[in-house]
Amino acid sequence: MTNAIKSVTGATHDELERAQAHGVEPDQRFHYRAYAPPLRAEAAKLRFAEKFDAIKLMPNNTDETAMELYKLGKEAPDLQTADIAYKALVRRCRKTELGDAADRQRWFPPFDAYGKPYVTRKPKPASDTTFPAN
């Protein structure tokens, strides 16, 4: 009997009364759309803080620590939070290849096809100390 007609019954009077007693607050359509984005941002910052605390336990100037700080910064929810990971990368892992490239790039550097970080930022030209002739 796979083709049998199925009947759907409506809600009983008791179920309707219970639904009325426990209404949604606020009683507005799509109200969750206003509440969800700030909660999502707060959750992302809490995840960042949790991962950052775990990375604090790793040793300085190791490739593993540098890569974890790099990934944390690239996944950060906003620029201010990413800046925390960038500064930690440069301060704690400057002697690594990734930390040095981040310092010279002044942000998280891209990687080449071989997995090595490279700097795309052009160095400032050396300032000319001679004075112009009048």
Side-chain angles (χ1 to χ4, degrees):
M1 286 207 121
T2 58
N3 293 332
I5 297 175
K6 296 187 179 188
S7 64
V8 177
T9 61
T12 65
H13 182 70
D14 186 42
E15 290 172 333
L16 291 174
E17 283 180 356
R18 280 186 278 152
Q20 281 288 0
H22 303 286
V24 177
E25 187 66 38
D27 190 17
Q28 180 183 3
R29 187 174 182 190
F30 304 125
H31 70 281
Y32 51 86
R33 292 182 181 174
Y35 293 112
L39 292 174
R40 181 175 180 248
E42 183 181 350
K45 287 184 180 183
L46 288 173
R47 279 193 306 273
F48 177 89
E50 185 177 287
K51 289 179 182 178
F52 191 70
D53 287 343
I55 294 172
K56 283 181 182 178
L57 301 175
M58 297 175 74
N60 292 342
N61 290 315
T62 63
D63 291 332
E64 293 81 17
T65 303
M67 184 53 76
E68 289 299 317
L69 286 166
Y70 177 86
K71 289 191 290 188
L72 184 65
K74 295 298 272 186
E75 297 169 359
D78 55 28
L79 289 176
Q80 290 83 11
T81 310
D83 190 50
I84 294 169
Y86 162 73
K87 288 177 180 175
L89 172 62
V90 171
R91 288 180 183 143
R92 291 185 58 196
C93 302
R94 189 180 308 246
K95 294 179 183 176
T96 63
E97 187 176 9
L98 180 56
D100 181 55
D103 187 29
R104 290 184 288 128
Q105 179 76 19
R106 297 289 186 249
W107 197 242
F108 299 103
F111 287 89
D112 63 12
Y114 302 105
K116 300 288 184 185
Y118 66 95
V119 179
T120 58
R121 180 185 173 106
K122 303 280 187 240
K124 288 185 177 180
S127 62
D128 190 10
T129 57
T130 61
F131 296 101
N134 287 339

